[in-house]
Amino acid sequence: MSIFKVLKLTKSSSSKDKNFFFCRHEGAAYLTIRSKKTNRVLQVLKSNDGFDFKKNRSKSLFAKTYPKIKEKKAAFLNQRYHHLLAPGSEYINPQTLTIENAFATSEGLLIFFHYQNSKNNQVEIGVVAFTKEENPSLLWRNSEPVWQIKTYQKINENDRPLFIDLLKIRGRYLAYWLINEAIWAIVYPDYRINEQIKIRKSYQLAKSDHNPLICPEPKNDWEAFNTFNPAAIYEAGKVHIFYRAQGFDYVSSIGYATSSNGIKVDERLSWPIFIPTQPFESTKKPGQLSTAYASGGCGGCEDPRVTRVEDRIYMTYVAFDGVTEPRIALTSIALKDFLNRNWLWKKPVLISPPGVVDKSACILPEKINGQYVVFHRVFPDILIDFVDSLDFSDGKYLKGQYRIKPRYPMWWDSRKIGAGAPPLKTRDGWLLIYQAVDDKEGYRYKVGAMLLDLDNPTKVLYRSRQPIIEPDQWYDNDGFKAGVVYPCGAVIIENTLFVYYGGADSYVCVATANLESFLHQLKTTGNAKLENAVIKTKSKPAKNK
């Protein structure tokens, strides 16, 4: 049980004409009740554990003067930290963010805050750590809500949960809320706070000491500016890397390299293996960027993904002409020609409809019930389509039949998500590596993982509660776009998972993990079910779910 009733208010002592204040003094918790009209102290209660409150005859002077102290502290925290809680958010109205309290740690300041979503009557509590200096820096941000309070749509405006205060008593974080004419103490889970850094590190894939694997090559005009966002496939005992390359004309083409061990490049061609040839991917205005649609370039073939299906290699990519909406294009090559380096690519076709920005497409390597499965992304969701054929030449387009959505604003993948590498088949499900952006940060990309049902890949079995790759190395930040880690390829060699990604839109990088350990952790912790306080009606008080 993580939620406890502290005080039940009666009709004669309703909350409408009272203010409530909690404070910690000399190791005990005090509840002071004041009249809204006169500000007179009506009652002071004391608790040694933060749960069991008794009337206190002494009426501590500190408890009586605490409201003014709290007001000054709240003003300071709001002035220094409030604007840093969700600076890039598109979904969180800053007016709905409330700082609950702050606690000093050896590293900095731990700040708890909550966001009230009026659309679904849900309150989500988050925690973030900052340095203590006048211009604070972010130390870390919780990747998931610490707690949720759920209510139902029929609840009256006056009956919404009302936050009172947050204290730390005997090592526990106790939040006091007024809910349905009762005051409740919610114990915020300690493991989501004190163990946060340890948990985050345990999720992280190991980045190779050989990173970056591929850097821009000044000798080759077509790849002199950026080399990034690599697709990958394992065939004939080698990892084949297809990477997006740009010259200083900002036009994208596809380069090629191989690696026998997955972490060190053995060979790299000095010419592109795929270049823009069709009107829908040929730059209409060379050297000019479309501010409406540009994703780090002014045209060409962007962000490839490759999948082997039977005896063909299929490559999806973003086709962009520099002016109109980026769309998904598809081409393929016979496996035999590919291995012999006869670059006989099939004429590419557009498979997403006009007028829609559609990206991040990849193909499942096996049919499901006789149909091909295509993943793609229309902001902000991952879309999934089942198609009878990969021949789109007759003008048929993807429709977005199913979708996987970003999580709520307090999660690390709350603004937008997109399929990264084509899903890999494991005994536990299809392993989908995906890229995501946190709504509270707005620009930094991170990488996560999902396990999808083997027979129904629209069903998410497990989803990582923490990012598995974050932009924390120089090659993730020192480039064309700082703070970007963007996966386009993944392979399994023996029992090792290799995830290939673009760092800072400038480099090709790789991160690895033991597959069995990675899947075990994903299955153990990936089915996140948050502790919730569920509010139904006034007659049915909050209870733990």
Side-chain angles (χ1 to χ4, degrees):
M1 186 73 171
S2 298
I3 179 169
F4 303 84
K5 186 185 292 184
V6 169
L7 182 67
K8 175 64 178 176
L9 303 176
T10 62
K11 290 184 179 180
S12 60
S13 64
S14 79
S15 63
K16 294 181 180 179
D17 57 354
K18 296 178 179 63
N19 287 321
F20 303 90
F21 301 92
F22 283 87
C23 69
R24 179 181 179 274
H25 181 58
E26 295 180 347
Y30 288 86
L31 166 58
T32 302
I33 305 175
R34 289 175 175 264
S35 167
K36 284 185 179 179
K37 186 175 182 181
T38 66
N39 203 35
R40 183 171 64 89
V41 175
L42 303 177
Q43 195 174 23
V44 177
L45 298 93
K46 178 182 178 180
S47 171
N48 291 323
D49 60 8
F51 303 107
D52 186 20
F53 283 82
K54 304 294 183 182
K55 291 183 179 180
N56 181 40
R57 294 183 179 180
S58 64
K59 296 186 178 181
S60 165
L61 179 63
F62 179 82
K64 294 166 67 174
T65 59
Y66 175 72
K68 290 186 178 180
I69 299 173
K70 177 184 178 182
E71 185 178 351
K72 290 182 179 179
K73 182 178 181 181
F76 169 77
L77 292 175
N78 282 321
Q79 185 275 329
R80 179 166 291 186
Y81 296 101
H82 190 276
H83 65 288
L84 300 174
L85 297 178
S89 178
E90 292 183 356
Y91 302 131
I92 297 178
N93 183 341
Q95 296 180 352
T96 65
L97 280 176
T98 299
I99 293 179
E100 297 186 354
N101 209 339
F103 303 92
T105 70
S106 59
E107 295 181 332
L109 202 64
L110 202 63
I111 296 179
F112 290 82
F113 65 99
H114 67 259
Y115 154 70
Q116 188 151 355
N117 190 331
S118 59
K119 293 183 179 180
N120 59 11
N121 291 320
Q122 181 162 294
V123 177
E124 293 186 343
I125 293 89
V127 62
V128 64
F130 289 103
T131 57
K132 297 178 183 178
E133 61 249 26
E134 186 175 348
N135 296 310
S137 299
L138 178 69
L139 293 174
W140 60 265
R141 182 188 295 278
N142 207 3
S143 296
E144 61 181 283
V146 172
W147 190 272
Q148 290 176 335
I149 298 176
K150 290 186 176 181
T151 57
Y152 290 96
Q153 296 290 348
K154 293 183 179 180
I155 195 168
N156 296 324
E157 183 68 28
N158 294 333
D159 296 328
R160 293 184 184 278
L162 177 65
F163 174 75
I164 302 175
D165 214 327
L166 172 66
L167 305 179
K168 189 174 183 180
I169 303 292
R170 296 185 178 182
R172 291 180 292 201
Y173 297 98
L174 303 181
Y176 296 96
W177 290 77
L178 179 63
I179 304 171
N180 288 345
E181 290 299 306
I183 296 177
W184 298 82
I186 299 175
V187 184
Y188 290 164
D190 182 71
Y191 71 91
R192 290 220 178 101
I193 304 161
N194 294 335
E195 297 295 317
Q196 183 62 208
I197 296 178
K198 179 181 178 181
I199 293 172
R200 286 178 79 94
K201 288 183 177 179
S202 70
Y203 264 84
Q204 300 291 308
L205 272 66
K207 295 182 179 179
S208 173
D209 293 337
H210 295 282
N211 282 344
L213 305 186
I214 298 174
C215 300
E217 177 50 70
K219 295 178 181 179
N220 302 326
D221 290 343
W222 62 277
E223 59 174 353
F225 185 36
N226 292 312
T227 50
F228 59 116
N229 296 1
I233 192 170
Y234 186 67
E235 290 290 341
K238 291 182 180 181
V239 178
H240 304 264
I241 301 171
F242 304 67
Y243 60 93
R244 177 181 172 185
Q246 288 178 324
F248 289 101
D249 59 359
Y250 290 86
V251 175
S252 296
S253 55
I254 309 301
Y256 174 79
T258 63
S259 172
S260 56
N261 63 5
I263 60 174
K264 189 175 182 180
V265 171
D266 302 320
E267 182 185 13
R268 176 181 174 183
L269 298 186
S270 59
W271 60 89
I273 63 167
F274 193 85
I275 60 174
T277 59
Q278 304 304 305
F280 53 73
E281 60 197 15
S282 298
T283 304
K284 293 183 178 180
K285 298 179 179 179
Q288 296 185 26
L289 294 174
S290 169
T291 56
Y293 304 119
S295 55
C298 64
C301 310
E302 305 176 351
D303 307 339
R305 274 84 166 176
V306 293
T307 308
R308 175 184 173 180
V309 182
E310 298 175 346
D311 61 352
R312 292 196 71 82
I313 302 293
Y314 289 88
M315 182 171 72
T316 54
Y317 63 92
V318 176
F320 184 40
D321 63 9
V323 178
T324 57
E325 295 88 351
R327 297 169 66 183
I328 299 168
L330 173 66
T331 184
S332 66
I333 187 172
L335 177 62
K336 182 178 179 180
D337 287 331
F338 168 72
L339 294 177
N340 289 330
R341 300 189 181 182
N342 295 321
W343 305 113
L344 302 175
W345 294 98
K346 188 176 180 180
K347 181 180 178 181
V349 295
L350 292 171
I351 65 174
S352 65
V356 179
V357 177
D358 204 338
K359 299 183 176 184
S360 304
C362 60
I363 300 171
L364 202 71
E366 294 182 10
K367 291 182 181 180
I368 302 295
N369 296 324
Q371 292 184 301
Y372 298 95
V373 183
V374 182
F375 296 77
H376 54 117
R377 193 264 293 173
V378 174
F379 181 90
D381 306 324
I382 294 175
L383 305 182
I384 307 172
D385 279 77
F386 290 78
V387 296
D388 294 325
S389 170
L390 292 177
D391 181 5
F392 289 82
S393 59
D394 57 357
K396 292 183 179 180
Y397 299 122
L398 298 172
K399 299 177 180 179
Q401 299 166 334
Y402 302 90
R403 68 185 60 226
I404 302 172
K405 297 182 178 182
R407 286 183 278 204
Y408 290 126
M410 286 296 180
W411 285 86
W412 67 272
D413 53 358
S414 53
R415 172 171 288 187
K416 62 179 180 179
I417 59 174
L424 300 170
K425 189 174 186 179
T426 75
R427 67 182 182 212
D428 298 305
W430 292 105
L431 177 59
L432 174 64
I433 304 298
Y434 70 100
Q435 41 89 2
V437 174
D438 186 339
D439 179 61
K440 298 177 293 300
E441 295 181 340
Y443 67 94
R444 297 178 77 243
Y445 277 76
K446 300 172 186 176
V447 180
M450 301 180 194
L451 271 177
L452 311 178
D453 187 89
L454 286 174
D455 298 320
N456 179 14
T458 67
K459 181 180 179 181
V460 179
L461 303 177
Y462 304 96
R463 185 168 173 175
S464 55
R465 296 171 68 163
Q466 307 279 350
I468 64 171
I469 300 176
E470 295 187 76
D472 55 7
Q473 300 297 318
W474 70 264
Y475 45 77
D476 302 329
N477 296 282
D478 185 9
F480 187 66
K481 285 186 181 180
V484 174
V485 286
Y486 194 91
C488 288
V491 302
I492 297 171
I493 304 176
E494 295 180 351
N495 194 38
T496 300
L497 170 66
F498 295 77
V499 175
Y500 295 87
Y501 71 93
D505 272 11
S506 297
Y507 310 104
V508 170
C509 309
V510 66
T512 64
N514 176 276
L515 180 64
E516 292 301 318
S517 299
F518 179 80
L519 293 176
H520 174 75
Q521 176 138 328
L522 183 58
K523 290 187 299 178
T524 302
T525 62
N527 54 345
K529 292 185 179 179
L530 292 174
E531 291 90 343
N532 299 313
V534 181
I535 315 305
K536 290 188 175 180
T537 64
K538 280 191 173 183
S539 60
K540 295 181 181 180
K543 63 181 181 179
N544 191 51
K545 185 177 181 180

